[in-house]
Amino acid sequence: RVIHARLAARGEAALAPAEVKRAMMERIFGFEILPAPFVVAHLQLGLLSSRLGAPLGEGERAGVYLTNALTGWEPLTDAKRGIMAQLRVQQPELAAERDAAEEVKRDKPILVILGNPPYNGYAGVAIGEERELSDAYRTTKRAPAPQGQGLNELYVRFFRMAERKIVEHTGRGVVCYISNYSWLDGLSHTGMRERYLEAFDRIWIDNLNGDKYRTGKLTPEGEPDLSVFSTAQNREGIQVGTAITLLLKTPSSLGAGGEGNAGGEGERLRFRNLWGKSKHAQLLTDSEKEPAALQATYAWLDPAAALGFPFAPSRTSAAYLSWPLLPDLFSVSFPGVKTSRDDALVAIDREALLKRMRKYFDPAIADEEIKRIAPSLMENAADFAAVKTRDQLRKRGLIEENFVRYCYRPFDVRWLYWEPETKLLDRNRPEYFPQVFPENVWLAAVQQNRKDFDPPVLTRRLGSLHLIERGANLFPLYLKHATMQSAPGDPEPNLSPNAANYLAAMDAMAEDLFHHAIAVLHSRAYREENAGALRQDWPRVPLPGESRQLIVSAALGRRLVSLLDPEAAVPGVTTGNVAELLSTIAVVKRKDDKPIDPGAGHLAVTAGWGHGGKNGVTMPGKGRVEARTGSPHPGPLPEGEGDSVVLRGRIYDIYLNNETYWHNIPEAVWEYTIGGYQVIKKWLSYRERDLLGRDLTLDEVRYVTEMARRIAAILLLSRELDANYCAVVGSTRVWP
């Protein structure tokens, strides 16, 4: 259609049909692996040719081939020649199709490769020729080495296929794909991005956003941000965000040594974001713009090697990359416990869990009864043979002392039956469990957040892998080292050699460094200044150059730890005389202001905060929220509460049911997230009466009040935390 329109615009309308037909047969090729769309493609092209006045004749065909686009680009091996010889005898038509496709792949000087390659994160590890495609991106020169399984995505193989053909075979041309946008800043794709900065002269990225996981399909202003693949029948479109990538290669981009300029040298990478509902319209409008006007809509990027050359804006302070990463300070961490059977092995009520597990271990109770009580315990799964596991554990018996407190989600501590043997727990982390003791404290962090960076979760309990929604690693303050001859001994600080040297120079303790890190990572200024880098790797921590500043920062961190630990009493917040500014937050009330009667159902959560999903997973609901403007604190704010502005604005009443609610929860408190979760809303989603099986207790209702006040107290520290961060950055210690 484009060729026909351009020829007509040049006054060559009479020649256009024949030229289009020639292009369809000789210049434009398509590869399709599935027979049905292969047939449809030929039908559509044949109809188009007829409509344009130059129908395909007998023996003529469009250049669309039934083939795997990812293979056949290299000469056949001896083994494959033998297979092809058999195919020519048994299936000559298929053999001819393959030969025609491979002639295009090997012999045609392809100048443009475009398409919408498949996205499939569960495609599995590639083998053979397809494995060789992704292997090209598994090493780096200057960027951090790739991590994770992202290079197994199908679309990555298509990128490499196109890059190899344009750069290594033809030597010039264009690649243009619309694909999953995870490769733009993914930890798995550092080698991929580094290679493109070397191999291509210019790169343009149209980030179409529309991602369910990273942005919740919302624009920065909170408006709907639909997928570019949205339709009237499916307004959400696909779940993952997408981007259009345009890669340009000219012969001059390769030097005598076979490599282009290193990334970041010169203006090579252009980027822009497209948001909202009008992406299609904007792209169509932009296609009519003059090149100079269109280029002005893009921003130049100069991606940093240390961050893995992200192909997206990366807001980072000048000194950030000189600071140590979190694992550079605290060298040992453990992934959290993963049960894969939360509904059976985790409980809010200890007695309910104890009763259930005693039945599971009881030889007199049949498997069928256990399947009725706790279905997941009797369902086979990967590495888990349900009947065999139960038989083995019944012979050994229940370990009563292994009912332990378990930090399930932020501010949500439950009970877990921790089983040291078999795969009853999918990932029981036996090396982690002995390190949880009363004196220890844990900082939960993640190398790359799915959404924006959240400050770390703190716990003194055994932690869940999903304490952070992306998967938590837990860094302890202390470690008990065990030898082959002994059990874990006295705790020692979990410090790297460089961190120990730093503390020796500062005449400070491991506790000071640990709590300093907590204070810095909870600073809003820190998160905003370094938002781009914090998406790429572990957070980096600036180290004070003076002992006094380290001690001040650590004191702030200790205050935060007491607020973040839901089982720690905090005078003025959860115990004693509550501070005046906090005392009016999250007060439990009835609409008619009459006393609450737990026996009358006044504490039942029935407002729709959660419901049961597939395989026992709890799905969040909208609940009932009533908003108004104002302040939770009547009258003027107390003197000295300069940060209380965070408690102004919209105020929410959060309902348990139609009668009872928590009155006066500030917007910033209600929307507070940590670990990727909206804390209070997440807690409520698990307590809907249909899921919990009972009403809330008085203590649980009071717990929500305390949780809201803890969060408010954390927010009230914002200015102090930011000032502390700025003071630290003003005079940092040089890291080796």
Side-chain angles (χ1 to χ4, degrees), residues 393-442:
L393 291 176
R394 283 192 295 186
K395 291 176 183 176
R396 190 211 61 202
L398 182 71
I399 304 175
E400 295 277 351
E401 59 269 26
N402 280 11
F403 288 91
V404 296
R405 294 293 275 163
Y406 183 51
C407 196
Y408 185 71
R409 298 291 183 268
F411 288 92
D412 192 349
V413 183
R414 306 188 183 187
W415 291 94
L416 167 75
Y417 176 69
W418 189 81
E419 174 53 56
E421 302 173 14
T422 76
K423 295 291 288 184
L424 184 66
L425 274 73
D426 190 2
R427 298 287 186 272
N428 61 359
R429 318 294 187 196
E431 70 287 355
Y432 166 32
F433 186 77
Q435 303 293 344
V436 181
F437 47 89
E439 301 83 7
N440 217 353
V441 60
W442 299 77

Side-chain angles (χ1 to χ4, degrees), residues 219-241:
T219 71
E221 295 74 32
E223 298 296 322
D225 181 41
L226 306 182
S227 166
V228 75
F229 292 108
S230 297
T231 64
Q233 293 74 31
N234 179 14
R235 287 184 53 76
E236 291 298 310
I238 63 175
Q239 295 185 347
V240 298

Side-chain angles (χ1 to χ4, degrees), residues 329-334 431-443 458-460 474-482 488-496 503 508-515 518 558:
L329 299 175
F330 311 108
S331 51
V332 177
S333 66
F334 304 92
E431 70 287 355
Y432 166 32
F433 186 77
Q435 303 293 344
V436 181
F437 47 89
E439 301 83 7
N440 217 353
V441 60
W442 299 77
L443 181 159
L458 272 293
T459 182
R460 294 185 182 275
L474 293 112
F475 293 81
L477 172 55
Y478 297 112
L479 287 169
K480 288 183 177 180
H481 294 285
D490 293 333
E492 299 176 3
N494 174 29
L495 295 173
S496 69
L503 288 173
M509 306 292 288
E511 294 91 334
D512 299 321
L513 180 59
F514 189 87
H515 290 98
I518 293 166
R558 288 184 174 88

Side-chain angles (χ1 to χ4, degrees), residues 208-210 225-226 228 274-283:
L208 303 177
N209 294 291
D225 181 41
L226 306 182
V228 75
L274 283 80
W275 296 98
K277 302 177 181 179
S278 58
K279 296 167 190 172
H280 276 129
Q282 183 175 347
L283 290 168

Side-chain angles (χ1 to χ4, degrees), residues 239-309:
Q239 295 185 347
V240 298
T242 55
I244 298 172
T245 302
L246 181 64
L247 306 168
L248 171 66
K249 169 77 174 71
T250 64
S252 62
S253 65
L254 286 186
E259 292 182 1
N261 293 327
E265 297 174 7
E267 296 179 333
R268 324 193 66 192
L269 174 61
R270 294 184 177 189
F271 176 94
R272 66 173 179 169
N273 275 310
L274 283 80
W275 296 98
K277 302 177 181 179
S278 58
K279 296 167 190 172
H280 276 129
Q282 183 175 347
L283 290 168
L284 287 170
T285 300
D286 288 346
S287 70
E288 304 297 327
K289 290 181 178 178
E290 291 295 322
L294 180 58
Q295 296 304 328
T297 66
Y298 291 82
W300 291 108
L301 297 185
D302 189 8
L307 297 179
F309 296 113

Side-chain angles (χ1 to χ4, degrees), residues 546-593:
E546 299 178 2
S547 299
R548 180 189 59 80
Q549 187 58 51
L550 176 63
I551 299 306
V552 169
S553 184
L556 262 178
R558 288 184 174 88
R559 289 164 64 187
L560 274 171
V561 168
S562 66
L563 291 168
L564 289 163
D565 180 359
E567 297 185 322
V570 184
V573 179
T574 65
T575 61
N577 294 322
V578 176
E580 185 179 2
L581 187 61
L582 303 177
S583 62
T584 57
I585 291 176
V587 175
V588 185
K589 300 180 69 173
R590 283 180 62 192
K591 288 185 72 174
D592 57 10
D593 285 329

